[in-house]
Amino acid sequence: MELPEVEVMRRDLEKEVVGRRIKDVDVRPQRNAMRIIRRHARRKEFSDRLAGTKITKIDRRGKYVVLFLDDGDALVVHFGMSGQFVRGTRRQPLPQHTHVVLEFAQGGDLRYIDPRTFGEMFVTKSDELGKVKELDHIAIDPLEDTFTWQEFSYELARRGTKLKPLLMDQRFVSGLGNIYSDEVLFAAGLRHDRSSDSLSSQEVRRLYRAMRETLQDAVRFRGTTLDDEAYVDLFGKPGEFQSELKVYGRRGLPCRRCRTPIDVVKIAGRNSYFCPQCQS
Ligand SMILES: [Zn+2]
């Protein structure tokens, strides 16, 4: 999941689970379920803090989702490489790799599924969220209104590194991975290997706008589901942004803007797609 998919998840959770009371929490018996709640010593310690509470609000901080509870606690979730929530009911069998099930007093349950178990969830006091170091220095959030192009410009000039790895650096921008960094650079007309301190102010504005618009569009289309179907939404449905992708995964296909074949290079071992004509 990159940022748009996490935001789609946050919005769905807001509609689906706010106001629901958690009746029971089941941390599944397999050993790697403990990896998901690794900040807690025991299953019971985690479930006891959640059982009986009501979910009051859902927030997102970068790629973290925070579920606020009516007793002053908060459940913090990071989906890692392959984690996701899916809604279910007791009658539906648990999918493979389900590690935690939050059963509601009314209205089914919420399952946390994660094949690779890099994701995690933990409970903390909501007034101590500021002490959680991963939530403390969250970088620029392209979906937040608080981030201005002047700030962005200052940060780009200060770094002086190649654009693609910089956009994927989670300390710089939250939530851009391999897919959206390629799409943002195409939308901005900039090459992956341009140095961030070489941009004109017009190019900075283009990149700023491309970042916001690409991610907003991706949220509108409910995220990107590639052929591996690694991402599905809260209801198990794939996103639709994959059919909107301009460069990612389109090696050799004609550019949607100029018909030049899309080119690919390896950056840090992963394919990076761009149009040699439209991006400079
Ligand atoms: Zn092109």
Side-chain angles (χ1 to χ4, degrees):
M1 272 197 215
E2 297 182 33
L3 198 67
E5 290 79 29
V6 178
E7 175 60 15
V8 170
M9 186 58 79
R10 186 198 68 76
R11 291 181 185 190
D12 285 349
L13 286 170
E14 195 164 58
K15 281 188 218 133
E16 276 289 309
V17 307
V18 167
R20 293 197 192 279
R21 192 170 292 283
I22 300 169
K23 191 171 96 188
D24 231 334
V25 178
D26 180 13
V27 180
R28 303 297 298 158
Q30 67 272 16
R31 190 178 303 163
N32 62 2
M34 280 308 292
R35 254 173 72 80
I36 302 301
I37 57 158
R38 52 189 167 266
R39 297 192 202 203
H40 296 270
R42 293 190 322 275
R43 284 176 171 75
K44 191 169 159 28
E45 187 215 323
F46 173 80
S47 6
D48 281 356
R49 275 187 83 168
L50 291 173
T53 64
K54 190 157 124 187
I55 299 168
T56 56
K57 188 172 83 157
I58 318 281
D59 250 351
R60 183 180 60 74
R61 313 234 172 131
K63 285 175 74 180
Y64 287 84
V65 169
V66 184
L67 290 79
F68 288 91
L69 307 168
D70 67 348
D71 67 348
D73 276 350
L75 173 63
V76 182
V77 185
H78 191 280
F79 300 102
M81 306 273 293
S82 58
Q84 65 193 100
F85 275 130
V86 173
R87 286 281 274 141
T89 65
R90 186 188 287 236
R91 274 181 310 210
Q92 292 167 314
L94 295 178
Q96 214 190 349
H97 309 295
T98 301
H99 298 295
V100 178
V101 182
L102 307 182
E103 195 194 324
F104 298 119
Q106 277 178 331
D109 59 35
L110 183 65
R111 293 126 186 239
Y112 181 80
I113 302 163
D114 193 346
R116 302 184 63 181
T117 64
F118 288 111
E120 70 158 328
M121 50 173 69
F122 59 92
V123 187
T124 181
K125 286 195 164 58
S126 50
D127 56 10
E128 286 179 4
L129 283 171
K131 290 187 195 162
V132 179
K133 73 174 190 320
E134 291 86 345
L135 297 179
D136 192 27
H137 35 82
I138 294 286
I140 291 172
D141 189 319
L143 291 171
E144 289 276 325
D145 290 331
T146 50
F147 121 82
T148 64
W149 85 267
Q150 289 88 343
E151 275 176 81
F152 187 52
S153 174
Y154 170 80
E155 292 294 328
L156 286 170
R158 195 166 71 85
R159 309 249 172 174
T161 44
K162 288 179 183 173
L163 286 178
K164 164 96 177 175
L166 180 60
L167 289 182
M168 289 177 63
D169 180 347
Q170 300 300 301
R171 290 163 303 180
F172 179 55
V173 180
S174 281
L176 284 191
N178 210 29
I179 300 174
Y180 293 111
S181 55
D182 282 358
E183 292 298 310
V184 166
L185 287 171
F186 176 80
L190 295 168
R191 273 178 66 102
H192 53 83
D193 54 0
R194 275 289 293 279
S195 179
S196 68
D197 57 0
S198 75
L199 305 188
S200 68
S201 70
Q202 199 192 358
E203 287 173 324
V204 171
R205 280 172 191 264
R206 246 163 44 202
L207 182 56
Y208 175 80
R209 207 180 317 127
M211 198 153 83
R212 298 189 65 113
E213 289 177 359
T214 304
L215 296 201
Q216 282 164 4
D217 282 354
V219 171
R220 205 153 45 81
F221 283 88
R222 301 189 56 78
T224 301
T225 302
L226 300 175
D227 291 341
D228 61 6
E229 299 209 334
Y231 163 74
V232 291
D233 70 13
L234 189 56
F235 312 99
K237 283 213 190 92
E240 287 170 6
F241 196 67
Q242 57 280 9
S243 57
E244 304 296 313
L245 297 174
K246 307 285 195 301
V247 285
Y248 186 84
R250 301 190 70 245
R251 161 194 254 151
L253 295 172
C255 171
R256 296 191 198 274
R257 201 183 280 158
C258 74
R259 315 297 295 166
T260 303
I262 298 300
D263 208 348
V264 64
V265 283
K266 284 254 192 241
I267 297 175
R270 301 177 75 185
N271 283 337
S272 187
Y273 301 86
F274 65 103
C275 173
Q277 185 68 34
C278 296
Q279 295 174 252
S280 60

